[in-house]
Amino acid sequence: MQGVQGNRNEISQNLENKARLLVKCPDKPGIVSVLSTFLFKYEANIIESSQYSSDPEEGTFFIRIEFHCENLQQKSPMMEQEFTQIANEYEMNYQFYYLNRRQRSAIFVSKELHCLLELLWEWQNGDLETDIVAVISNHEDARSIVESYGIPFHYLPANKDIRQEVEAKQITLMEQYHVDLLILARYMQILTPDFVDYFENRIINIHHSFLPAFIGANPYDRAYKRGVKLIGATSHYVTNDLDEGPIIEQDVERVDHRDDGATLKKIGRKIERRVLTKAVKWHLQNRIIVENNKTIVFH
């Protein structure tokens, strides 16, 4: 694991002059010009830019800009200070993200490990722009796998009777690890409103896309008995409306009468793995802007 960490340190150094700027504001003429002029003033080169307007007349404007700027670490305090004036004038919600500062993620998991394994594989390959700093579970099933990657594993039994007590311990752990993103990789516990509010738009969940049909246990068996022809998965940010947060990514596959409940579940797990991984990658790449209960995703 030392070699992997060494590669990550080298990557971080190579990214020290790169950053991303995300902006959301009322749409009006001249916004792109103002942003590009601002970056040009600091001799920044725009590498990638994506924009979207909900309506050119009184709509909302969204933009994601990735740029390179020599001596960015020295320039960034002055850039951010000056940008507040532009933000005030154009009523902007905005955020600068510096690529040499890797986000820190924690994964919550229960007994089904397929999504966790996919994330660990992508992380080991260097395809997730994050440091996975801890895995938290209400079961011991994942311990040996997680610890083989050199990642701390924390077993915290949880149920509805001790939910607040457990969440207090989880929040303490998240603070100790300075966690930026929580990934629910098939974590089968309902989170309290206080916990969700503490990590607003920083918890990503995955579930099958049958909802609101087939709520509860054994959804694939019941889907088979109903004769469904499409199954899928949905990844979304967690809100206090259960499984109704802003959707980040969805995918489906066709099935037919020959696919029994076990086969449907196997196919569903494959979809869950790729949908969750895409959502996590897009979050880490700062490609998502949340607008009310939907997302703008710059692919």
Side-chain angles (χ1 to χ4, degrees):
M1 299 304 295
Q2 289 182 348
V4 173
Q5 187 60 45
N7 291 338
R8 291 190 182 123
N9 291 336
E10 183 178 346
I11 292 171
S12 179
Q13 291 174 1
N14 293 336
L15 296 175
E16 65 180 8
N17 289 324
K18 290 185 179 180
R20 298 172 184 137
L21 172 61
L22 270 64
V23 171
K24 175 175 71 173
C25 64
D27 199 1
K28 65 174 67 174
I31 297 173
V32 174
S33 175
V34 167
L35 294 175
S36 58
T37 300
F38 167 79
L39 292 173
F40 178 73
K41 176 180 178 180
Y42 288 91
E43 301 180 312
N45 183 34
I46 296 175
I47 302 170
E48 181 182 339
S49 179
S50 301
Q51 65 192 64
Y52 165 72
S53 175
S54 63
D55 189 333
E57 297 183 6
E58 299 184 357
T60 302
F61 180 78
F62 308 84
I63 189 167
R64 174 191 184 270
I65 299 174
E66 185 167 327
F67 62 92
H68 178 275
C69 182
E70 289 294 333
N71 300 315
L72 179 59
Q73 302 307 305
Q74 290 74 34
K75 293 178 180 178
S76 58
M78 187 182 304
M79 292 177 70
E80 292 198 35
Q81 182 177 2
E82 181 177 340
F83 195 80
T84 58
Q85 301 173 14
I86 297 174
N88 290 336
E89 181 178 352
Y90 286 85
E91 303 176 67
M92 292 178 175
N93 292 320
Y94 70 95
Q95 183 67 52
F96 284 91
Y97 297 94
Y98 300 98
L99 272 63
N100 70 324
R101 194 273 184 189
R102 288 171 65 85
Q103 295 188 60
R104 298 167 64 83
S105 299
I107 301 175
F108 283 36
V109 66
S110 290
K111 300 188 74 171
E112 296 190 33
L113 307 184
H114 54 287
C115 288
L116 168 68
L117 292 170
E118 185 77 14
L119 292 167
L120 291 175
W121 175 250
E122 292 284 333
W123 173 78
Q124 186 181 49
N125 283 344
D127 292 329
L128 285 183
E129 296 180 16
T130 189
D131 292 327
I132 299 177
V133 295
V135 173
I136 291 87
S137 181
N138 56 329
H139 297 277
E140 287 278 11
D141 299 58
R143 179 181 291 278
S144 60
I145 294 171
V146 171
E147 291 181 344
S148 72
Y149 282 86
I151 300 171
F153 178 86
H154 296 272
Y155 168 56
L156 293 176
N159 59 60
K160 63 181 181 180
D161 296 325
I162 57 171
R163 186 163 290 146
Q164 290 183 330
E165 175 188 340
V166 171
E167 287 186 349
K169 294 178 181 177
Q170 291 170 340
I171 289 174
T172 298
L173 282 172
M174 298 305 95
E175 291 174 341
Q176 289 175 354
Y177 284 110
H178 305 288
V179 168
D180 300 299
L181 174 66
L182 274 63
I183 306 166
L184 305 186
R186 300 294 290 165
Y187 181 64
M188 308 307 290
Q189 292 289 315
I190 295 174
L191 304 176
T192 69
D194 288 344
F195 188 92
V196 172
D197 291 342
Y198 194 87
F199 297 100
E200 183 179 10
N201 293 333
R202 293 192 293 143
I203 308 175
I204 295 179
N205 188 29
I206 183 72
H207 60 70
H208 61 75
S209 286
F210 294 135
L211 298 175
F214 311 128
I215 295 172
N218 303 315
Y220 290 102
D221 288 335
R222 287 181 288 139
Y224 167 70
K225 292 175 182 176
R226 182 65 178 82
V228 300
K229 299 299 185 279
L230 283 173
I231 64 172
T234 294
S235 188
H236 63 92
Y237 288 114
V238 175
T239 66
N240 287 317
D241 295 319
L242 184 62
D243 292 331
E244 295 184 16
I247 294 171
I248 303 171
E249 174 64 340
Q250 294 177 297
D251 201 358
V252 297
E253 286 193 18
R254 295 200 65 86
V255 295
D256 63 30
H257 59 275
R258 290 166 291 193
D259 298 316
D260 60 17
T263 303
L264 294 183
K265 187 171 185 178
K266 186 179 295 185
I267 296 171
R269 284 177 168 178
K270 291 180 180 178
I271 308 172
E272 289 172 4
R273 285 160 45 194
R274 65 175 181 256
V275 168
L276 178 60
T277 300
K278 282 184 180 180
V280 170
K281 285 184 177 180
W282 293 338
H283 177 96
L284 295 171
Q285 294 168 358
N286 315 118
R287 295 188 178 277
I288 306 170
I289 299 177
V290 176
E291 171 69 354
N292 298 320
N293 201 46
K294 64 183 292 186
T295 59
I296 310 301
V297 183
F298 294 112
H299 298 294

